Amino acid sequence: MSVPSAAPRRSYDTDGLVDEFLQLVGDGDEYGAVELITELHDSGVPAERLMIDVIGGAQTRVGELWAANEWSVAREHAATAISERALAALALRTNVKPTRGRVTIACVDGEWHALPTRMLAEMLRLDGWRVDFLGANVPGPHLISHLHQTGPDVVALSCMIATRLPRAHAAITACRTAGIPVIAGGRGFGPGGRYAQHLGADAWAAGAEEAVRRLAHNWPPHNQDPQLSAFLGDEEYTYVVRHRPELINTAMRQLTEAYPAMREYSQRQLDSTAEDMAHIVDFLAAALYVSETAIFTDFVAWTNEVLQARGVPAVALRVGLETVQAQLRDYPTAAAMLTAGMRLLNQ
């Protein structure tokens, strides 16, 4: 890891710097954000701390502000773009010769949250790895083609949203079939990465710093299970996935009848509601895939908080769950998961 050449001339107050950087990215001040990060690095603050503490800390706050309906999607996207620019400017100031192996870093197919993986890429470069950063939304076949072309020592896969778990499973299985071990990361793999091993990953890391330590001191993992995880989804999962459009469209029609307030919705509100219904079906499918009700109930709890911050009453979400459940009466596991979600809303 890089070592500062001198003691910082500026006081390194993490909370204060996060607030300052957040103000800059929130105002769209790309020049100011980049200047702050580069000035701190020039004064001796290690690049790793700036990546994790300041840029990463501010990005966490950006997500919280969007969820609380204090920031729009557009403002969140603009702030993220500036954070990426600041990270890139910081990376240009570091030049560590590769002394370890080669690592491929990618977001699984359908995963668009690339900034955490970009931070991991820069952290691993600082630790002496040769890094192939593939970015967001990497289709499985393209990932495998890249692995055959480059022959990395390890693949780092990111999954931030649980709905991508089936695709993450396919990517992990393909990587291990090609003989390349996988370290997984991202909250999509569940608390403590509980789903990562279930899907066949060799290891899981809670964040970039843990991944760097794991790859530096305990890799490759010992006593690997040679058997790869098989297809996990049962007939209920298959039914939900195959009938996704029908489940969503029928639920929207029934929701309009059961929740009269929807008749006054604008087209924008209707589109947003349709997206919410799609999320309900997708998270239900993910929960069925790994047989984990918590995936669905955690989603319901989070969605309820987001919708209430936007002035949507809990009854609307509950009715939405009921309309999906009415279509899945012959599928007991799915129905039970929906019941658990509705029970949570009644608490």
Side-chain angles (χ1 to χ4, degrees), residues 162 165-166 194-195 198-199 231-237 283-296 333-334 337:
L165 285 175
R194 59 188 296 173
Y195 313 131
H198 189 45
L199 298 181
F231 175 72
L232 299 178
D234 59 11
E235 65 277 5
E236 293 202 28
Y237 164 79
F283 273 90
L284 177 63
L288 290 168
Y289 190 80
V290 294
S291 301
E292 184 62 65
T293 300
I295 288 178
F296 187 70
T333 304
M337 289 179 176

Side-chain angles (χ1 to χ4, degrees), residues 133-325:
F133 175 63
L134 306 188
N137 187 37
V138 181
H142 295 265
L143 172 62
I144 300 308
S145 294
H146 175 81
L147 301 185
H148 286 304
Q149 292 167 359
T150 60
D153 299 286
V154 58
V155 175
L157 286 177
S158 175
C159 177
M160 298 297 289
I161 303 177
T163 55
R164 313 305 182 205
L165 285 175
R167 296 180 184 182
H169 184 203
I172 291 169
T173 301
C175 291
R176 293 194 59 194
T177 300
I180 302 173
V182 176
I183 183 169
R187 60 178 177 269
F189 286 107
R194 59 188 296 173
Y195 313 131
Q197 185 176 7
H198 189 45
L199 298 181
D202 297 276
W204 178 83
E209 289 183 293
E210 182 178 333
V212 170
R213 289 193 298 269
R214 185 68 188 270
L215 292 176
H217 304 297
N218 187 24
W219 198 267
H222 301 295
N223 302 321
Q224 297 182 60
D225 182 354
Q227 289 193 342
L228 301 177
S229 298
F231 175 72
L232 299 178
D234 59 11
E235 65 277 5
E236 293 202 28
Y237 164 79
T238 302
Y239 180 88
V240 170
V241 171
R242 288 181 177 175
H243 292 80
R244 180 180 184 272
E246 176 185 339
L247 290 169
I248 296 170
N249 292 334
T250 300
M252 285 294 292
R253 290 196 301 270
Q254 294 178 350
L255 185 59
T256 303
E257 298 172 1
Y259 185 61
M262 269 190 64
R263 296 167 188 165
E264 305 299 324
Y265 276 14
S266 65
Q267 186 60 50
R268 180 173 176 273
Q269 289 175 307
L270 289 173
D271 291 342
S272 179
T273 303
E275 289 180 4
D276 292 337
M277 296 305 304
H279 290 321
I280 289 173
V281 175
D282 291 342
F283 273 90
L284 177 63
L288 290 168
Y289 190 80
V290 294
S291 301
E292 184 62 65
T293 300
I295 288 178
F296 187 70
T297 52
D298 288 349
F299 156 74
V300 171
W302 179 83
T303 300
N304 186 44
E305 292 180 2
V306 170
L307 291 178
Q308 289 199 32
R310 286 155 174 74
V312 180
V315 63
L317 178 56
R318 183 167 58 250
V319 173
L321 297 177
E322 291 171 351
T323 60
V324 175
Q325 187 185 53

